[in-house]
Amino acid sequence: MQDYDLDTVGVLPPSAALDEAGRLIMDTFGAVGCDVRVGATLPALFARAGVGVPDGTDVAGRIEPYGSGRRMISSVLRSLLPAALGHGVATAGEMEAAMAALEADATRHPDRPMTWPLMIGAWKRR
């Protein structure tokens, strides 16, 4: 099994614009019932499902420049716009402002290292 831990998205040094975009993403996923940290809970999910402790786990991450990485964040924000509006997470103006701030910040600091969500895997042999 594999799934993401979205809480690992960030840039160094930290960015208020990326933090706000991340908050909107996490709050929207949460509003529709998604567990944004499910990857990190895979071992507990295995145990709860009666499978037992995983035989192993693996974590993969990606780091890329903020200037190009912000495209992924912007795309996710755009795709979540209907859900964010429908669940009262943000207004259209707040989402647009967050995307504009993200774009401006990443343009000012394109070479800062940005971490993506971690992909976490767990497995159990029969």
Side-chain angles (χ1 to χ4, degrees), residues 68-85:
S68 58
R70 63 107 174 102
R71 290 184 193 106
M72 184 258 307
I73 302 298
S74 293
S75 294
V76 171
L77 278 173
R78 275 188 200 64
S79 72
L80 292 176
L81 182 59
L85 297 176

Side-chain angles (χ1 to χ4, degrees), residues 6 9 18-31 36 72-78 80 89 95 102:
L6 299 183
V9 173
L18 183 60
D19 289 349
E20 175 60 9
R23 182 195 67 78
L24 290 168
I25 290 168
M26 302 258 251
D27 288 357
T28 302
F29 277 129
V36 296
M72 184 258 307
I73 302 298
S74 293
S75 294
V76 171
L77 278 173
R78 275 188 200 64
L80 292 176
V89 172
M95 292 290 277
L102 181 67

Side-chain angles (χ1 to χ4, degrees), residues 40-54:
T41 65
L42 286 175
L45 292 173
F46 273 43
R48 207 170 20 190
V51 177
V53 176

